[in-house]
Amino acid sequence: MLTLAVALLVSPQTVSASTTTGTLAQPTAVEYTADSRLNDADLPTDPVTFDECEQNYTAPGPYWFKNRFNICRTVILQIIYRKLENGVPTEVGRGYFRSTLIGIAQDKESRIRFGLRVKYVTTDGEEISDGHLTFGLECFNNDPQRTSVCDHPAEPVDRTVAEWHAGVDPLYWDATTTTTTVPEEKYKTESRGFFSFDLVESSIFVGPPDVVRQPQEFFRCDSASYATRGSRCVFTSVTPTLVFDLNDPTYHESAAFIKDAQEDLTQINPRLVGKKVPGRSGEQTLTYLHPSYDVGNTKTGSRSKVRRVCKADSGARYTKDANGNARQCDEYPFASTYQNSARVDESTVWSFAAKAIAASHNEAGGRLLASWYGREHMLDGDGFYVVVR
């Protein structure tokens, strides 16, 4: 009689005798940085690849996020081959396979395509070639207050060790989501659904299978009418990051202003001591405010407030520079966030900044921001960072 056992190795890059057992911790929030200047077609239709995953994933992180729409994980599976000798299970060898899982949210759909590539690495000792290795995807509704379904192929893929060793084409599962009932809440009309998935790997030969589950990860899908670009599904453990390029001549002044505000608010209007602005990487995020949820029209109120600051600093003629070129009052945090100047709570450490800059730079920065909101499929209430480099 022969038996198999499956374990995950700690490092995805090396083969060793060390194994990992037990329950893995839930992933924490992850930041990724995408180039804000990418064309509309570059995300999310620039899907993560198996090779890219193997190059970028770093253990022990649960997953590597290429961006908000692409996720991956690669590990070494250790298969322990055993025979019954005198009624005692005895190890006769170990096989090693690289398992690489990718997830690609599909453009303008509530669907994620998951792919799995299994590659043979090596064998120590005897291989039990007629044993079986099985891989299956699990996808669930992660919010019991909602009626949500993640429709995906439930049948796992089963092959013999010999078949996996010889090479099997990558496997793919399509997970399509629907949310039909949501609680009475602010975002009810958007039908936001929250889901989780994992990959189940098992060895089957004699007796009950040995089962290993990859870490659970989470995503959200929606039908918001104002967010029509990007995939309707995003991975929620990652915080998107808007990047401003200091070397971009079209909005350099806006980028420099944001950088100065993030680094030292005492040097930027209204020059507040003991205060800082949110949105800097690793600190408090900014939060997207869609106009349809702007109760009290604070976006307009914020712009009026910062203009008063610019006027107090530069006088009523702040709208023109010495050469007569048009200037505008730039603000940070952006008016299109829940942290705009009209919403500042002066009892906290968080505040705002304003500065008169070239009108063309302010407008170019605004276009960059608006395009980024759409391309990243940002919904009202989504948090994000701003990086200037």
Side-chain angles (χ1 to χ4, degrees), residues 42-77:
D42 288 332
L43 286 176
T45 49
D46 177 21
V48 63
T49 66
F50 294 111
D51 290 341
E52 187 178 24
C53 182
E54 292 181 9
Q55 293 168 2
N56 288 279
Y57 171 79
T58 302
Y63 290 90
W64 176 66
F65 296 89
K66 181 176 182 180
N67 49 52
R68 211 177 189 203
F69 308 104
N70 291 271
I71 190 175
C72 83
R73 173 179 170 84
T74 183
V75 294
I76 297 293
L77 291 177

Side-chain angles (χ1 to χ4, degrees), residues 54-283:
E54 292 181 9
Q55 293 168 2
N56 288 279
Y57 171 79
T58 302
Y63 290 90
W64 176 66
F65 296 89
K66 181 176 182 180
N67 49 52
R68 211 177 189 203
F69 308 104
N70 291 271
I71 190 175
C72 83
R73 173 179 170 84
T74 183
V75 294
I76 297 293
L77 291 177
Q78 177 181 249
I79 314 301
I80 303 175
Y81 303 120
R82 297 188 180 97
K83 291 182 179 179
L84 276 182
E85 296 182 357
N86 299 320
V88 179
T90 303
E91 181 178 327
V92 297
R94 297 188 180 196
Y96 299 90
F97 294 81
R98 179 179 290 278
S99 165
T100 302
L101 176 70
I102 60 176
I104 304 166
Q106 302 299 293
D107 199 21
K108 297 181 175 59
E109 295 185 58
S110 295
R111 178 169 64 93
I112 297 178
R113 167 157 283 196
F114 293 96
L116 176 70
R117 185 172 72 180
V118 179
K119 295 193 302 184
Y120 171 74
V121 178
T122 190
T123 300
D124 293 335
E126 182 181 345
E127 178 179 278
I128 309 300
S129 59
D130 56 352
H132 285 248
L133 299 179
T134 300
F135 297 87
L137 181 76
E138 294 183 329
C139 184
F140 306 101
N141 172 24
N142 202 49
D143 186 347
Q145 297 185 18
R146 302 166 192 272
T147 303
S148 297
V149 175
C150 183
D151 185 22
H152 67 288
E155 192 69 23
V157 178
D158 182 11
R159 300 284 189 273
T160 66
V161 170
E163 290 174 310
W164 292 115
H165 186 150
V168 174
D169 290 339
L171 312 175
Y172 291 96
W173 298 272
D174 281 333
T176 303
T177 69
T178 55
T179 297
T180 55
T181 304
V182 298
E184 293 295 330
E185 61 172 14
K186 180 178 180 180
Y187 303 120
K188 182 176 181 179
T189 60
E190 298 180 13
S191 297
R192 299 185 184 188
F194 298 89
F195 305 87
S196 64
F197 75 89
D198 59 30
L199 180 71
V200 182
E201 301 154 335
S202 62
S203 62
I204 305 173
F205 196 78
V206 175
D210 291 296
V211 177
V212 170
R213 279 181 164 80
Q214 298 279 7
Q216 188 179 47
E217 194 48 73
F218 308 93
F219 64 96
R220 178 194 72 201
C221 301
D222 71 272
S223 60
S225 60
Y226 61 85
T228 58
R229 295 168 59 197
S231 175
R232 289 200 169 276
C233 297
V234 298
F235 294 104
T236 53
S237 291
V238 59
T239 301
T241 300
L242 168 64
V243 178
F244 279 81
D245 184 353
L246 271 173
N247 296 316
D248 192 312
T250 64
Y251 59 75
H252 165 76
E253 291 187 23
S254 184
F257 158 64
I258 295 171
K259 184 174 186 295
D260 290 343
Q262 288 185 340
E263 293 180 351
D264 187 358
L265 198 56
T266 64
Q267 302 301 310
I268 300 292
N269 301 324
R271 294 183 170 83
L272 301 173
V273 177
K275 298 283 188 175
K276 57 183 179 178
V277 291
R280 190 172 185 176
S281 180
E283 297 188 356

